[in-house]
Amino acid sequence: MRRRTVLKHGATATLVGLAGCTGGEGGQETTTDETTTDTGMRTTTEETTAETTTEESLSGTLKVATYSSFVDAPSSSPGAWLKNEFEKRHPDVTVEWKTPENELNYYVQRATQGVDVDADVYVGLNVDHLIRIDEKLGEKRLFAPMADQLSNYGHVKEGLKFDPKRRAIPYDTGYISLVYDENEIQQAPETFQDLLKDRYEGKLIVQNAKTAATGRAFLLWTVNTLGEDQYLDYWTKLEQNGIKILGSWSDAYTAYENGEAPMVVSYSTDQVYANRQDKDLSKHQVGFLNDQGYANPEGMAKFADTDNPELAAAFMDFLLSKQAQQKIAQLNVQFPATDWAPLSAEFQKYAKTPENPVTFTYEELQGNVDDWVDAWARQIAGGK
Amino acid sequence: MARPGDDPARAVGRWLERHAVSTLGVATALVLAVVFYYPVLTVFADAIRVGGAWTLEVVREVLTDPFYFGVLAPLFGGDFGAVAEVAAESPLGLFGFTAYQAFLSTVASVLLGLPGAYVLSRYEFPGRRTVRSLTILPFVMPSIMVAIGFVAFFGTNGPLNDLLAVFGLGPVNLLFTLEAIVVAHAFYNAPLVARVTTAAWESVDARMVETARSLGANPWRAFRDVLAPQLLPAVLTGALLTFVFTFMSFPIVLALGGFQLATVEVWVYSLVQELEYAEAATLAVAETAVSLALTYAYLRYEARQSDAGRAANPPPRKRLLPESFSPVAALERAGVVAYALVVVVVFVGPVVSMVAESVTGPNGLTLRYYQFLVQRQAEGASFQTKPGVAVRNSLVFGAATLLVALPMGVTISVLTTRGGRGRRLADALAMAPLAVSGVVVGLGMLRGLVFGVELLGHRVQVTGPVAIALAHAVAAYPFVVRNVAPLLGGVDRSVVESARALGATRVRALLDVELPLVASGVAAGAAFAFAISIGEFDSTVILATGSSSYTMPVAVERYIGNRTLGPATAMGTVLLAVTSVSFVVVDRLGGRWEA
C-alpha cells in the first residue's frame, strides 16, 4: 500500500512539476512548484501543454557533487530517487552524481590550483567546511550566494540557516546525542557532569573530533555547554573516566554494537534505523545531556563558476520541495530542514528531538574552531 | 647498425635485445618520475613554500615543537636548558611514540613470522603449497576489514573471550590498547616476514651445512655459523619493511587503538583534511627521512652480505609425523602444534569473524547481504558501485601491474647489483615508494596527475585505468626488487660471464641464465606485486575519480552503510575468496618454472 502511495505521488509530482514550468515563465527562475502534491489530482491537459514548454525551458547535464553515502549507501540513500524524480520532471535534464573521495576538499584543492571545478552543485556542506573554505581560499570564491533565487527558501527553518553569506542552503539536519543500551545502563546520564561519575567509567565511545563529523559536533557541544575555559579540563576528567576515542563514526558504532561499551555518541534518529533493521530497541535508547542535542544541519550550495545556474537553482529548489524533503528525511535518516514536510508516522515515533537544540553559529566558530579542536587533539594524542 | 643484406626487422630486434636493459632502465625512470617523484615533490614543496613565498618558518616551528619531537625539540631549537622540562612533560613526542609502537610491532611480527617460515620451508605436509600461497593474503585485506575482524574476534563479547571462559580464564580486554595495535600490525606483517624468509630458506645451500657437520660442528653451531648468515638478509628485509610500514600506519591505529594512541601519520592525515598543507608536508618529509635512512642503512648491509656466490640446494623437507620416534623430534612437533594454535588465534580468528559478520543479521543467520550484492550488480545505477565490476577491475589491474612491475623490478635489480658509484643511493631512491606515506602519495597524485600540469598551453592529465596500473606498479616494484636483487647478487658471476663469452647478449644471459637461478625470488616478487595491486586503496580512489575504475577494496569501503556493516563484510568475503584463489593460481603458475 505504501509503495503504491509513493508511486502515485511520484507520478503526480511529475505532472505538477511540469505544470509549474508552464506557469513559471514570468517568474525569476524556472522552478518546480508542487505545493498541491498531496491532493493527487491533475488533469491530462496540463500534462501535454507542460511537456512542450519544459523541453524549451530546462535542458542539459547537471553535475552534482556529494559524499558517497548520499548516493551509494547499501541500505538507503536519497541519490537515486532524487535523480530519477528530477529527471522525470525535466525530461531533457540529466543529473550526474559525482562523489570524489576527498569530498569537498577535492573541489577546494581544484580551486586552489586554478583547475576548473567541473561541478554545478555541492550537496553535503556543514559550517566547518564553510569556515575552512573562507580561511583557505580568501578572495577566491568557491560557492555563490543562492537563497534569493529559490522559491522554496522561505520554508527553511530559521534556526538551521548557518551561512551568513547565504551560499549554503540547509536541506536536512541531525542532532548529536548519546545512544545507549538500557540493559547495561539502568540510569542514563542526564548531564555532562554525570558522565564523570564512577558508574559510567569506561562506558562511553566517542569519535575523533579531528576527522569525524559526529566527534567534532560532540566536542563543540562540550565547548558550547561548559565554556571555552572549562572544556579541556572536562575532557581530562572524561579521559580519566576511561572514554574510548575511535576514528570514525562507523568504527565507533561497530565497537558499540559489539558490546565494547554500552554508550556511544551518535544521532538522535538512531531508532528509526534500528527499527527498520528489526533490532532490539532496548539496545538503541537515545539520551540527551542537559536536555540538549547538538544540531548539525547539512547544506547545499551552487559552485560560483557553474555554467548552469538555472539548472542548479531548479535542482536546489527541488531538494527543498515538500516531497523531496520528506523523501530525503526518510532515505538519509535525518530530520527535514523545512517547515512543510510532515514527518512520517515512523519518524514521529522513533526519531527523538532534544528539548534545547544547541549549535554554534558561523561567527562564533570563525577563528575559534581550529584552535579548540587543535588544543583538544594535542591534549589527547601521542600515547601518553 | 644494419649490415647490407640484413633483414631490417631482425636488425631492429637485435638492437632492442642488445639495449633492452638500458631501454627498460630509461622507461622505469620515466614512470617513476611521472607517477611518483613529481607528485610527491609537489607535496613536499608545500613545506617550504607557504602562500607563494619561500620560507623555513613552518619547518622550524614543527622541528622545535615538543609535541612532535619530545626531548629532541629543544635540541633542534638549540634551547638546551628546556630539555629537562620537556623530558618531564612529553619525552617521546608524537615521533618518539610512533617509532616505539613500530619497534614493538616489528619485534612481534618477526617473532610470529620466523616459526612460520621454518615450518613452511622445512616441513612437508598436505596443503603446504596452498598455505604458503595464502601467507600473502593478510597483505591485501583492506584495513577496515581487519579492524572489523579484530573488533569482532578480540572484543569483550567475542569468540576469544568465550573460548577463554571455557577454561575458566579471562575475560581479556585487548581492544583500544597498544597491544591491539601491535597484534594487528603483526597480523599484517608476520606473513611478510615469513614469506621472504621462506623464499631464502628454500634457496640455502645445504651442502655447506653438511660440510660443517662433517667437520664436527653440532647442529646449533652449523645453524649459527652457516645457515643463519644465509637467512639474516631476508629476515632483516622483512623487519625493515615491517618497521617502515608500521611507522606510517594509520587506519589500524585509528580503528583499533583510539585517538589516544595516534601516530604521526594519523596527524598528517588530519592536517591534510584541514588543508594545513605546510605543516602536513613538513611532518611527511620528516617521516620519509626516517624511513629512507633506514632503507639506506639496510641496503649497505645487504650489499656486504651478497658477496658469496652460491647455488640453491635446499635440504630435504621433514614430515610432520616423524619416521622414527625421538624425544627431540617429538618436542619439535609439539612446538609446531603450539605455533599452529597461535596462528589460529591471530590469523584465522579475525578473518573468520569478519566472514561470520557477513552472514549474521540482527535476528541470526541471513543471506540478505549477499542478496544485496547480487541485486546491486543486476540493478545498480551507473553512479553506484557494482561488485562484479570491482572484481573484474581488481583482476585486470593486478595482471597489468604484474606486466609493468616485474620488468621494472628486474631492471632495477640488474642495474643495482652490477655496481657503479653511488649505487646504494640510487637504490635507496628507487626504493623510495616504500618510504613515502600513502597520504602524501595520494595527495601528490591528485595535484600532479588528476588535476594535470600546464604544458605549452595545454593541461596534461593522467587518469583512468592506465594511470591506476602505473601507480600500482610503482607501489609494487620495490617488492620485486627486494625479492630478486639479493638472490641475483648471489648468482655465480662466472656462469653469466661464460654465457656472454659464448656470444649471448646481456638480456639473453639474464633471461636464460640468471632469472631461472633466482626464480623463487621472481615468483615471490610477482605474488607481492599482484597483492599490492589488489589491496591498494589510496591512489586507486583518487585516480578512479569520475570513472568506473573502482576495485574490490574500494567497493568494501563504499558499502559501509549507515549503521550496517553487512554489505561491506559480504563484499570483503568476496574479496577474500577471489584473492585466495588468484594467489594459489599465481603461486602454482610461478612454481611451474620454479621447479
Side-chain angles (χ1 to χ4, degrees):
Chain A
M1 182 59 215
R2 198 162 137 235
R3 161 172 282 197
R4 195 175 304 151
T5 324
V6 171
L7 285 177
K8 199 173 85 195
H9 278 192
T12 324
T14 319
L15 306 186
V16 176
L18 299 172
C21 296
T22 334
E25 52 209 12
Q28 348 87 322
E29 299 283 343
T30 317
T31 48
T32 57
D33 178 7
E34 36 132 22
T35 34
T36 49
T37 311
D38 285 341
T39 65
M41 284 294 160
R42 272 294 170 272
T43 61
T44 37
T45 355
E46 275 176 334
E47 187 188 8
T48 30
T49 25
E51 257 179 15
T52 38
T53 348
T54 314
E55 279 171 19
E56 291 168 357
S57 54
L58 283 177
S59 64
T61 301
L62 182 73
K63 294 178 179 170
V64 186
T66 186
Y67 54 95
S68 75
S69 66
F70 194 78
V71 299
D72 199 15
S75 36
S76 68
S77 54
W81 185 87
L82 290 172
K83 174 182 157 74
N84 291 342
E85 193 59 31
F86 190 70
E87 286 174 356
K88 230 189 279 171
R89 289 167 188 228
H90 305 281
D92 294 334
V93 173
T94 307
V95 174
E96 201 180 287
W97 289 112
K98 297 179 139 267
T99 51
E101 179 65 14
N102 294 343
E103 302 178 354
L104 190 61
N105 277 349
Y106 176 79
Y107 294 103
V108 178
Q109 284 161 350
R110 287 191 85 106
T112 323
Q113 303 284 301
V115 186
D116 263 359
V117 161
D118 195 32
D120 304 304
V121 175
Y122 192 89
V123 172
L125 280 174
N126 63 39
V127 66
D128 315 336
H129 290 142
L130 286 177
I131 290 173
R132 192 165 302 142
I133 289 169
D134 291 346
E135 275 171 13
K136 296 294 165 192
L137 286 179
E139 289 308 297
K140 284 187 200 164
R141 286 193 321 163
L142 189 63
F143 296 119
M146 208 36 201
D148 298 338
Q149 294 159 54
L150 303 179
S151 62
N152 291 334
Y153 184 70
H155 288 283
V156 176
K157 290 180 186 163
E158 208 47 50
L160 296 178
K161 295 175 180 171
F162 59 86
D163 182 4
K165 296 179 192 154
R166 317 225 300 171
R167 295 159 297 181
I169 317 290
Y171 62 84
D172 72 11
T173 187
Y175 299 102
I176 303 302
S177 64
L178 298 182
V179 168
Y180 65 93
D181 179 349
E182 69 182 357
N183 309 307
E184 306 257 339
I185 302 281
Q186 277 81 18
Q187 193 183 347
E190 286 174 358
T191 63
F192 279 98
Q193 294 309 322
D194 276 357
L195 278 181
L196 303 178
K197 289 182 179 161
D198 288 346
R199 77 166 83 101
Y200 301 116
E201 192 184 341
K203 302 249 160 118
L204 178 64
I205 304 176
V206 306
Q207 299 86 9
N208 179 0
K210 273 220 149 195
T211 48
T214 43
R216 176 167 296 221
F218 186 69
L219 170 64
L220 292 178
W221 188 6
T222 62
V223 180
N224 189 299
T225 306
L226 303 157
E228 207 180 334
D229 303 327
Q230 297 298 317
Y231 82 102
L232 282 178
D233 281 346
Y234 178 74
W235 276 91
T236 310
K237 290 177 193 153
L238 266 187
E239 254 197 299
Q240 284 160 359
N241 211 23
I243 52 160
K244 302 170 169 82
I245 305 171
L246 302 191
S248 67
W249 178 84
S250 81
D251 293 337
Y253 204 81
T254 309
Y256 170 72
E257 290 212 285
N258 282 313
E260 286 314 319
M263 288 193 289
V264 65
V265 169
S266 187
Y267 297 98
S268 69
T269 46
D270 189 73
Q271 288 193 359
V272 176
Y273 198 83
N275 173 57
R276 279 184 206 166
Q277 295 282 307
D278 293 328
K279 299 211 176 196
D280 176 1
L281 289 190
S282 70
K283 292 182 181 160
H284 294 271
Q285 292 299 307
V286 172
F288 296 111
L289 296 172
N290 299 12
D291 293 324
Q292 298 171 340
Y294 194 87
N296 226 12
E298 286 189 293
M300 55 185 163
K302 181 185 77 170
F303 283 106
D305 69 351
T306 171
D307 304 326
N308 273 325
E310 280 143 35
L311 210 45
F315 185 77
M316 290 167 74
D317 227 0
F318 165 65
L319 254 69
L320 296 180
S321 70
K322 192 187 241 181
Q323 198 196 6
Q325 279 290 295
Q326 270 182 294
K327 205 71 192 176
I328 292 172
Q330 191 191 334
L331 296 174
N332 218 25
V333 203
Q334 297 284 343
F335 288 95
T338 50
D339 60 10
W340 66 342
L343 291 173
S344 67
E346 178 201 32
F347 233 84
Q348 286 183 26
K349 181 165 179 201
Y350 294 111
K352 313 285 185 225
T353 347
E355 225 166 275
N356 302 312
V358 296
T359 197
F360 276 118
T361 62
Y362 179 97
E363 289 86 355
E364 286 165 331
L365 288 175
Q366 196 180 25
N368 287 322
V369 62
D370 283 350
D371 293 342
W372 291 339
V373 175
D374 210 46
W376 172 87
R378 280 171 173 252
Q379 182 176 299
I380 303 281
K384 279 165 283 188
Chain B
M1 296 289 268
R3 283 187 299 260
D6 223 9
D7 177 359
R10 283 180 57 189
V12 170
R14 205 175 307 126
W15 185 90
L16 270 181
E17 187 175 307
R18 207 165 293 139
H19 296 89
V21 176
S22 41
T23 314
L24 281 172
V26 172
T28 302
L30 269 176
V31 171
L32 278 180
V34 174
V35 189
F36 180 74
Y37 276 104
Y38 175 72
V40 168
L41 290 177
T42 349
V43 177
F44 284 179
D46 285 337
I48 44 173
R49 195 168 167 83
V50 184
W54 300 101
T55 169
L56 282 175
E57 190 49 32
V58 180
V59 176
R60 203 189 55 79
E61 267 172 33
V62 168
L63 286 180
T64 54
D65 188 339
F67 172 74
Y68 290 129
F69 286 97
V71 286
L72 289 180
L75 297 181
F76 288 151
D79 181 8
F80 300 102
V83 173
E85 192 190 323
V86 173
E89 276 287 298
S90 53
L92 286 179
L94 204 55
F95 267 86
F97 172 73
T98 306
Y100 173 65
Q101 68 78 23
F103 172 74
L104 294 180
S105 301
T106 306
V107 170
S109 303
V110 170
L111 288 181
L112 194 59
L114 282 188
Y118 176 73
V119 172
L120 283 174
S121 57
R122 298 293 296 114
Y123 279 91
E124 189 59 65
F125 53 90
R128 185 187 67 86
R129 296 277 317 261
T130 307
V131 172
R132 187 180 181 278
S133 310
L134 295 182
T135 51
I136 205 160
L137 211 51
F139 216 66
V140 298
M141 285 187 52
S143 49
I144 178 73
M145 303 307 321
V146 175
I148 292 168
F150 264 72
V151 168
F153 185 74
F154 289 104
T156 311
N157 302 322
L160 182 69
N161 274 326
D162 293 348
L163 193 73
L164 288 175
V166 172
F167 299 101
L169 299 168
V172 290
N173 218 332
L174 244 188
L175 293 182
F176 319 125
T177 58
L178 187 55
E179 290 83 350
I181 297 179
V182 168
V183 175
H185 281 162
F187 172 89
Y188 268 113
N189 295 294
L192 176 86
V193 174
R195 203 175 170 89
V196 290
T197 313
T198 305
W201 217 317
E202 283 171 348
S203 59
V204 295
D205 191 352
R207 282 172 310 190
M208 287 169 69
V209 182
E210 282 157 22
T211 314
R213 296 278 282 139
S214 69
L215 291 173
N218 63 26
W220 164 243
R221 242 198 107 100
F223 174 81
R224 197 192 62 192
D225 294 346
V226 181
L227 206 52
Q230 294 190 53
L231 297 180
L232 202 57
V235 178
L236 284 177
T237 301
L240 171 85
L241 290 174
T242 304
F243 188 89
V244 169
F245 287 149
T246 51
F247 188 69
M248 296 189 299
S249 163
F250 96 98
I252 284 293
V253 174
L254 271 182
L256 290 177
F259 190 53
Q260 285 104 324
L261 301 170
T263 58
V264 175
E265 187 76 352
V266 169
W267 211 267
V268 172
Y269 175 73
S270 36
L271 287 172
V272 167
Q273 294 293 98
E274 290 157 18
L275 309 173
E276 298 284 353
Y277 295 136
E279 205 173 336
T282 307
L283 288 178
V285 172
E287 204 183 33
T288 311
V290 173
S291 325
L292 271 182
L294 280 169
T295 311
Y296 181 76
Y298 165 72
L299 290 168
R300 288 191 63 108
Y301 160 82
E302 185 194 78
R304 279 205 307 276
Q305 293 302 306
S306 59
D307 47 356
R310 60 168 193 260
N313 181 22
R317 293 197 177 88
K318 306 180 210 178
R319 288 155 173 271
L320 262 189
L321 284 176
E323 275 142 25
S324 57
F325 178 83
S326 76
V328 175
L331 198 66
E332 193 177 316
R333 266 62 173 189
V336 171
V337 170
Y339 177 70
L341 280 176
V342 175
V343 167
V344 167
V345 170
V346 177
F347 295 97
V348 183
V351 173
V352 170
S353 298
M354 191 273 291
V355 175
E357 193 102 351
S358 76
V359 290
T360 317
N363 305 313
L365 286 182
T366 177
L367 280 178
R368 67 170 160 174
Y369 304 127
Y370 291 91
Q371 272 166 9
F372 162 80
L373 292 187
V374 173
Q375 196 183 355
R376 180 52 71 84
Q377 178 62 30
E379 301 165 10
S382 59
F383 53 84
Q384 291 176 323
T385 307
K386 297 186 183 186
V389 178
V391 171
R392 189 200 64 203
N393 285 342
S394 279
L395 294 178
V396 170
F397 292 147
T401 302
L402 270 187
L403 285 180
V404 183
L406 276 186
M408 277 175 80
V410 170
T411 305
I412 292 198
S413 305
V414 171
L415 293 177
T416 54
T417 46
R418 290 299 166 255
R421 221 177 302 162
R423 146 189 148 207
R424 229 91 62 213
L425 188 64
D427 205 4
L429 284 178
M431 286 298 112
L434 287 179
V436 180
S437 84
V439 175
V440 171
V441 176
L443 189 61
M445 292 225 161
L446 187 64
R447 286 158 59 176
L449 298 180
V450 177
F451 294 169
V453 183
E454 205 78 51
L455 265 186
L456 307 170
H458 291 279
R459 191 162 275 281
V460 183
Q461 287 170 298
V462 189
T463 48
V466 174
I468 295 177
L470 285 179
H472 287 187
V474 168
Y477 83 86
F479 285 88
V480 180
V481 177
R482 289 278 61 81
N483 277 289
V484 173
L487 297 179
L488 208 56
V491 168
D492 194 345
R493 299 299 311 142
S494 61
V495 185
V496 183
E497 271 143 29
S498 323
R500 296 294 305 272
L502 292 171
T505 57
R506 181 70 197 85
V507 73
R508 268 285 137 230
L510 178 67
L511 292 177
D512 294 347
V513 180
E514 287 167 290
L515 284 187
L517 285 175
V518 300
S520 63
V522 177
F528 273 116
F530 193 73
I532 299 266
S533 168
I534 298 274
E536 213 285 336
F537 185 83
D538 296 13
S539 67
T540 313
V541 278
I542 286 169
L543 292 167
T545 298
S547 72
S548 53
S549 313
Y550 49 83
T551 57
M552 289 190 283
V554 178
V556 170
E557 198 253 356
R558 289 188 187 163
Y559 286 156
I560 292 173
N562 204 343
R563 294 170 182 80
T564 171
L565 292 172
T569 49
M571 187 65 215
T573 308
V574 171
L575 180 149
L576 204 60
V578 172
T579 42
S580 313
V581 171
S582 23
F583 289 137
V584 173
V585 171
V586 166
D587 236 28
R588 290 290 153 93
L589 287 182
R592 207 178 321 147
W593 55 284
E594 197 179 327

